[in-house]
Amino acid sequence: MAGIDRRTVLGAAGLAAGIVATGASTATAAEGAVKGGRKPLTEAEFERLVSSVPMDQIGLELAYESVVDIEPSMVLGTGPWGERWMVPITGGRFAGPRIQGTVLPGGADRQVMRRDGVKQLEARYELQTDDGAVLAVVNNVIIDAAETPRYARSWLTIAAPDGPHAWLNRRVLVGTLGSLRPQRDAVLIRVFALT
């Protein structure tokens, strides 16, 4: 470290004086600064830490199933991420063990066919429960038609008002998406809460 003031190196890198005092190289000292001054995690230490916390099993609980009526796709042209469409949502019905009601018209599903062949969707719409509560839904979907069977999975956020349906605000929600054509111009969405 000839020609470099050691205090400048320490101040700039935010290192503890002990790193330089032990003869650590500048590269090693910089790595320590990036990692918050901790030693790299060894495989044995990793295994010890991971095994110290019991595995928390994740389960699924059906929240609801919905039949969402749609209109034909509207082509929006090519954007920076690929070909784009919008699919108007016109209504429908949903039901589950703790909740049921109607899909309100006026929402839309915006879709992008990415350059890698995967379709990405973001649907925004409202559900009205039979007891009058209105839930705002954002459903993000990934569809990979190259998979067999077709991969169509989603993650959702639902904003529910205070009251009997507020449990939806406090759960991680995931789902599936399937077409109901030709029986009906609609999609079937199944939503699950992670337990």
Side-chain angles (χ1 to χ4, degrees):
M1 294 184 49
I4 299 175
D5 181 1
R6 196 172 276 187
R7 289 171 296 185
T8 303
V9 172
L10 289 175
L15 301 173
I19 294 175
V20 174
T22 58
S25 70
T26 304
T28 303
E31 288 171 10
V34 170
K35 295 173 183 162
R38 295 184 182 146
K39 293 180 181 178
L41 191 61
T42 65
E43 186 175 336
E45 180 70 2
F46 171 82
E47 292 296 334
R48 186 185 69 74
L49 290 170
V50 169
S51 64
S52 70
V53 178
M55 179 74 75
D56 191 2
Q57 298 296 322
I58 296 176
L60 292 176
E61 175 183 69
L62 179 66
Y64 64 85
E65 298 172 292
S66 60
V67 173
V68 179
D69 293 327
I70 56 175
E71 289 186 352
S73 301
M74 300 168 55
V75 176
L76 302 179
T78 302
W81 296 282
E83 200 64 33
R84 303 174 305 139
W85 296 270
M86 184 178 76
V87 179
I89 294 171
T90 60
R93 180 126 189 105
F94 72 99
R98 300 166 62 181
I99 193 168
Q100 63 181 9
T102 58
V103 179
L104 297 178
D109 180 1
R110 286 165 176 81
Q111 306 181 0
V112 174
M113 178 61 79
R114 298 183 338 202
R115 299 188 194 286
D116 62 0
V118 172
K119 190 180 279 190
Q120 192 167 324
L121 290 63
E122 182 186 78
R124 292 179 177 264
Y125 54 96
E126 283 70 42
L127 304 174
Q128 185 168 31
T129 64
D130 284 351
D131 60 5
V134 176
L135 316 175
V137 178
V138 179
N139 191 0
N140 295 280
V141 186
I142 295 288
I143 298 175
D144 187 352
E147 294 285 326
T148 306
R150 182 184 81 142
Y151 182 89
R153 300 291 184 263
S154 67
W155 64 100
L156 302 89
T157 56
I158 297 180
D162 291 340
H165 312 299
W167 62 274
L168 291 163
N169 300 324
R170 300 189 300 271
R171 294 293 179 267
V172 174
L173 302 169
V174 295
T176 62
L177 174 73
S179 175
L180 291 172
R181 290 178 173 144
Q183 304 166 47
R184 187 179 180 92
D185 287 334
V187 291
L188 174 62
I189 299 170
R190 290 188 170 103
V191 176
F192 303 88
L194 296 187
T195 61

